[in-house]
Amino acid sequence: MKSIQAIERWITAIESSKQETCAKEQEIKAIVDLWKFADLYDNRAIITQKGEIQLEDADGLAEKVSVVTSDLFLTPKENAISKILSEIEAEFSELGARYKGLYNVEFRNPEANFDAAEILKLKSEIISGIKGEVILFKYVEHIRKLPSSEFRIVNRDFKILECTYEEVQNIIDQNYLVQPGQKQWLVIVLSAIDNNCKSFVIDEAIKTAAFSSGFEKIFLFDFYTSEIIELNVIAQIGTAIKGVPLAASGVA
């Protein structure tokens, strides 16, 4: 990306400004989020100013796009791994004393987020590991068995949070268009560190259903896995530009 020097100047200016520390951190984060997203989306993209990127259209002409970035903080919910382990414990408890023991499951850091099918594969791996079956493991690093009078599985630090359609639509509703007459995108940023987890389960509806918004394009962007999911958008009547209602504009 050709705009790295401009980005460095913006960050230096923010750091030397008289803003509160929290405000500085948020503004710098927004620049870094946009920088990484734009580079992954199109490594020829140029950040022309804060919140704006320049791309080439189908005819090779430069077009500017206003981009709003917004962090998605998921509501606290049950760890998807805990649910899986509880299901496995119930299944093995019905098999009698053969598999009794305390199983400490260590997981590999996933390279991508989970969907419903991958969650089932993860569950199958754990079951195969406990049974001692020889398979190619993708998610399970090691299973250590200790003596116990019951069947129990321990997972100390592997946490997967579900990202739901409703949470994504809610963050969309909290953001507004900012540049009348210009293409405008919304990038919703997922961060495993900010959400205190290792990975996410992406609700299937996020990839298949439509979201209501005035933004031309909306993306769900996992900062650490670099996954970009472009959402299906239906134009919303009355989405505001700094409080000014928009006219209806059909389907994007």
Side-chain angles (χ1 to χ4, degrees), residues 113-156:
N113 290 312
F114 293 83
D115 56 20
E118 290 298 317
I119 285 291
L120 289 178
K121 290 180 182 179
L122 172 59
K123 181 178 178 180
S124 178
E125 275 195 16
I126 298 171
I127 292 174
S128 295
I130 291 172
K131 290 183 175 180
E133 297 173 351
V134 179
I135 66 168
L136 182 63
F137 289 94
K138 180 179 179 180
Y139 299 114
V140 174
E141 181 69 37
H142 184 76
I143 299 179
R144 181 178 291 105
K145 181 181 179 181
L146 298 173
S148 176
S149 60
E150 58 183 350
F151 181 91
R152 286 189 57 207
I153 309 175
V154 177
N155 162 49
R156 294 182 177 178

XYZ file of all heavy atoms in Angstrom, residues 113-156:
360
model
N -12.133 -18.802 11.486
C -13.287 -18.925 12.363
C -14.103 -20.171 12.032
O -13.935 -20.785 10.977
C -14.153 -17.669 12.249
C -13.479 -16.468 12.879
O -12.990 -16.546 13.992
N -13.442 -15.365 12.163
N -14.995 -20.521 12.946
C -15.806 -21.718 12.818
C -17.177 -21.388 12.237
O -17.707 -20.293 12.435
C -16.004 -22.375 14.190
C -14.750 -22.933 14.793
C -13.865 -22.118 15.482
C -14.450 -24.282 14.683
C -12.703 -22.632 16.052
C -13.297 -24.811 15.245
C -12.423 -23.982 15.928
N -17.746 -22.378 11.543
C -19.164 -22.348 11.234
C -19.755 -23.621 11.841
O -19.056 -24.373 12.536
C -19.417 -22.260 9.724
C -18.749 -23.394 8.942
O -18.414 -24.434 9.547
O -18.569 -23.227 7.720
N -21.034 -23.887 11.592
C -21.680 -25.034 12.220
C -20.994 -26.347 11.838
O -20.813 -27.239 12.684
C -23.159 -25.069 11.826
N -20.581 -26.476 10.572
C -19.932 -27.711 10.113
C -18.587 -27.915 10.797
O -18.239 -29.041 11.194
C -19.759 -27.672 8.599
N -17.810 -26.841 10.957
C -16.499 -26.963 11.595
C -16.629 -27.282 13.080
O -15.786 -27.982 13.654
C -15.698 -25.675 11.390
C -15.250 -25.448 9.959
C -14.319 -26.531 9.463
O -13.416 -26.946 10.209
O -14.503 -26.984 8.310
N -17.678 -26.765 13.710
C -17.914 -27.094 15.119
C -18.159 -28.595 15.275
O -17.667 -29.233 16.213
C -19.109 -26.286 15.672
C -18.694 -24.837 15.914
C -19.647 -26.906 16.969
C -17.708 -24.642 17.045
N -18.910 -29.188 14.345
C -19.152 -30.633 14.390
C -17.856 -31.414 14.185
O -17.629 -32.445 14.823
C -20.180 -31.020 13.328
C -21.618 -30.576 13.586
C -22.523 -30.974 12.422
C -22.151 -31.175 14.899
N -16.977 -30.911 13.304
C -15.684 -31.555 13.094
C -14.836 -31.484 14.361
O -14.130 -32.444 14.712
C -14.946 -30.898 11.932
C -15.552 -31.168 10.563
C -14.762 -30.467 9.468
C -15.395 -30.683 8.107
N -14.652 -29.972 7.025
N -14.880 -30.340 15.040
C -14.136 -30.182 16.288
C -14.617 -31.188 17.323
O -13.815 -31.855 17.997
C -14.314 -28.749 16.800
C -13.760 -28.436 18.190
C -12.265 -28.698 18.245
C -14.057 -27.003 18.565
N -15.937 -31.319 17.436
C -16.506 -32.279 18.387
C -16.077 -33.696 18.039
O -15.697 -34.483 18.923
C -18.027 -32.163 18.384
C -18.716 -33.120 19.360
C -20.223 -32.921 19.337
C -20.917 -33.905 20.279
N -22.400 -33.726 20.271
N -16.106 -34.023 16.761
C -15.720 -35.360 16.317
C -14.256 -35.648 16.626
O -13.897 -36.775 17.014
C -15.976 -35.487 14.809
O -15.581 -36.751 14.333
N -13.398 -34.638 16.485
C -11.977 -34.808 16.803
C -11.777 -35.153 18.276
O -10.974 -36.026 18.625
C -11.204 -33.523 16.482
C -10.775 -33.410 15.046
C -9.726 -32.324 14.853
O -9.119 -31.886 15.857
O -9.506 -31.926 13.707
N -12.487 -34.459 19.154
C -12.339 -34.703 20.591
C -12.763 -36.131 20.923
O -12.086 -36.845 21.668
C -13.168 -33.685 21.398
C -12.680 -32.262 21.129
C -13.073 -33.998 22.894
C -13.572 -31.182 21.699
N -13.890 -36.557 20.350
C -14.386 -37.915 20.590
C -13.382 -38.945 20.082
O -13.070 -39.921 20.773
C -15.757 -38.106 19.909
C -16.812 -37.239 20.611
C -16.172 -39.575 19.929
C -18.166 -37.232 19.928
N -12.837 -38.724 18.898
C -11.848 -39.657 18.343
C -10.599 -39.712 19.197
O -10.020 -40.787 19.418
C -11.484 -39.240 16.913
O -12.596 -39.355 16.044
N -10.170 -38.545 19.703
C -8.976 -38.497 20.547
C -9.169 -39.255 21.841
O -8.263 -39.970 22.303
N -10.335 -39.110 22.449
C -10.610 -39.815 23.703
C -10.661 -41.322 23.470
O -10.187 -42.117 24.294
C -11.939 -39.312 24.304
C -11.763 -37.864 24.794
C -12.395 -40.207 25.451
C -13.048 -37.198 25.234
N -11.205 -41.728 22.333
C -11.298 -43.161 22.009
C -9.970 -43.738 21.537
O -9.846 -44.953 21.372
C -12.363 -43.382 20.945
C -13.783 -43.163 21.431
C -14.794 -43.462 20.330
C -16.218 -43.358 20.842
N -17.207 -43.645 19.765
N -8.988 -42.874 21.295
C -7.682 -43.352 20.850
C -7.625 -43.689 19.380
O -6.721 -44.424 18.945
N -8.549 -43.177 18.599
C -8.563 -43.440 17.166
C -7.452 -42.663 16.469
O -7.116 -41.535 16.863
C -9.920 -43.062 16.568
C -11.070 -43.888 17.134
C -12.428 -43.403 16.673
O -12.493 -42.317 16.051
O -13.431 -44.089 16.951
N -6.887 -43.239 15.437
C -5.810 -42.604 14.686
C -6.422 -41.816 13.526
O -6.911 -42.390 12.556
C -4.810 -43.648 14.136
C -3.709 -42.944 13.340
C -4.221 -44.450 15.280
N -6.420 -40.501 13.649
C -6.952 -39.622 12.607
C -6.005 -38.427 12.463
O -5.088 -38.239 13.260
C -8.377 -39.113 12.928
C -8.340 -38.195 14.173
C -9.350 -40.258 13.131
C -9.633 -37.425 14.399
N -6.244 -37.626 11.436
C -5.485 -36.393 11.254
C -6.203 -35.274 11.999
O -7.332 -34.909 11.668
C -5.384 -36.050 9.759
C -4.572 -34.797 9.410
C -3.115 -34.976 9.829
C -4.659 -34.514 7.910
N -5.565 -34.771 13.043
C -6.197 -33.756 13.885
C -5.916 -32.355 13.357
O -4.778 -32.008 13.047
C -5.695 -33.876 15.334
C -6.211 -35.085 16.054
C -5.482 -36.258 16.080
C -7.433 -35.045 16.698
C -5.955 -37.380 16.735
C -7.925 -36.156 17.361
C -7.191 -37.327 17.379
N -6.958 -31.548 13.287
C -6.850 -30.164 12.836
C -6.913 -29.181 14.001
O -6.231 -28.162 14.001
C -7.980 -29.858 11.851
C -7.985 -28.445 11.301
C -9.130 -28.249 10.310
C -9.161 -26.827 9.764
N -10.284 -26.628 8.801
N -7.713 -29.493 15.002
C -7.944 -28.563 16.109
C -7.379 -29.023 17.442
O -7.002 -28.221 18.280
C -9.449 -28.317 16.277
C -10.108 -27.708 15.075
C -11.053 -28.407 14.337
C -9.763 -26.429 14.643
C -11.665 -27.854 13.219
C -10.361 -25.862 13.532
C -11.306 -26.585 12.826
O -11.895 -26.036 11.719
N -7.336 -30.340 17.668
C -6.879 -30.875 18.952
C -5.363 -31.069 18.918
O -4.827 -31.730 18.026
C -7.571 -32.211 19.268
C -6.980 -32.824 20.545
C -9.080 -31.994 19.431
N -4.677 -30.487 19.887
C -3.224 -30.614 19.985
C -2.831 -31.841 20.804
O -1.949 -32.605 20.435
C -2.637 -29.350 20.626
C -1.121 -29.358 20.768
C -0.418 -29.269 19.416
O -0.926 -28.549 18.527
O 0.625 -29.920 19.255
N -3.522 -32.014 21.933
C -3.143 -33.101 22.839
C -4.291 -33.363 23.813
O -4.984 -32.432 24.224
C -1.874 -32.734 23.613
C -1.349 -33.811 24.491
N -0.667 -34.905 23.996
C -1.405 -33.977 25.827
C -0.320 -35.694 25.004
N -0.747 -35.148 26.125
N -4.476 -34.641 24.166
C -5.441 -35.015 25.210
C -4.712 -35.848 26.254
O -4.139 -36.895 25.942
C -6.635 -35.817 24.634
C -7.402 -34.978 23.612
C -7.568 -36.258 25.770
C -8.575 -35.697 22.979
N -4.713 -35.345 27.471
C -4.038 -36.058 28.573
C -5.100 -36.636 29.509
O -6.003 -35.921 29.960
C -3.130 -35.096 29.343
C -2.368 -35.754 30.488
C -1.457 -34.782 31.188
N -0.338 -34.379 30.335
C -0.238 -33.207 29.725
N -1.205 -32.305 29.846
N 0.806 -32.925 28.972
N -5.001 -37.938 29.810
C -5.981 -38.603 30.671
C -5.394 -38.849 32.058
O -4.283 -39.365 32.203
C -6.414 -39.936 30.057
C -7.452 -40.693 30.889
C -7.830 -42.022 30.230
C -8.835 -42.777 31.076
N -9.206 -44.088 30.463
N -6.152 -38.472 33.091
C -5.776 -38.710 34.476
C -6.844 -39.579 35.141
O -8.009 -39.564 34.726
C -5.644 -37.382 35.227
C -4.565 -36.420 34.714
C -4.667 -35.086 35.438
C -3.181 -37.019 34.886
N -6.474 -40.324 36.183
C -7.463 -41.183 36.857
C -8.597 -40.362 37.474
O -8.379 -39.278 38.005
C -6.630 -41.878 37.943
C -5.220 -41.772 37.479
C -5.121 -40.475 36.743
N -9.794 -40.892 37.387
C -10.957 -40.241 37.994
C -12.068 -41.271 38.118
O -12.154 -42.217 37.326
C -11.419 -39.055 37.142
O -12.597 -38.482 37.678
N -12.943 -41.065 39.099
C -14.074 -41.984 39.301
C -15.243 -41.656 38.378
O -16.254 -42.357 38.386
C -14.535 -41.917 40.764
O -14.940 -40.589 41.078
N -15.105 -40.595 37.593
C -16.163 -40.196 36.665
C -15.535 -39.756 35.349
O -14.312 -39.641 35.232
C -16.985 -39.039 37.256
C -16.156 -37.827 37.598
C -16.979 -36.723 38.240
O -18.208 -36.835 38.249
O -16.374 -35.751 38.727
N -16.378 -39.518 34.374
C -15.895 -39.036 33.083
C -16.030 -37.516 33.059
O -17.121 -36.963 33.160
C -16.721 -39.643 31.940
C -16.243 -39.202 30.577
C -15.300 -39.944 29.882
C -16.712 -38.033 29.997
C -14.853 -39.539 28.623
C -16.276 -37.613 28.754
C -15.343 -38.358 28.061
N -14.880 -36.833 32.928
C -14.893 -35.362 32.884
C -13.871 -34.877 31.861
O -12.822 -35.501 31.672
C -14.569 -34.749 34.248
C -15.684 -34.829 35.277
C -15.315 -34.009 36.483
N -15.037 -32.624 36.123
C -14.219 -31.822 36.817
N -13.571 -32.283 37.881
N -14.033 -30.580 36.441
N -14.183 -33.737 31.231
C -13.258 -33.117 30.282
C -12.952 -31.706 30.768
O -13.851 -30.959 31.152
C -13.854 -33.042 28.866
C -14.397 -34.392 28.427
C -12.796 -32.572 27.870
C -15.105 -34.357 27.086
N -11.667 -31.352 30.751
C -11.235 -30.027 31.218
C -10.679 -29.236 30.046
O -9.862 -29.737 29.272
C -10.158 -30.159 32.320
C -9.667 -28.777 32.742
C -10.719 -30.911 33.513
N -11.124 -28.006 29.912
C -10.582 -27.067 28.931
C -10.298 -25.774 29.672
O -11.207 -25.135 30.190
C -11.591 -26.823 27.806
C -11.261 -25.574 27.029
O -10.134 -25.357 26.614
N -12.263 -24.707 26.856
N -9.046 -25.406 29.746
C -8.671 -24.280 30.603
C -8.817 -22.916 29.936
O -9.254 -21.950 30.562
C -7.236 -24.455 31.094
C -7.057 -25.644 32.028
C -5.634 -25.746 32.538
N -5.472 -26.843 33.480
C -4.316 -27.160 34.034
N -3.225 -26.489 33.744
N -4.255 -28.181 34.888
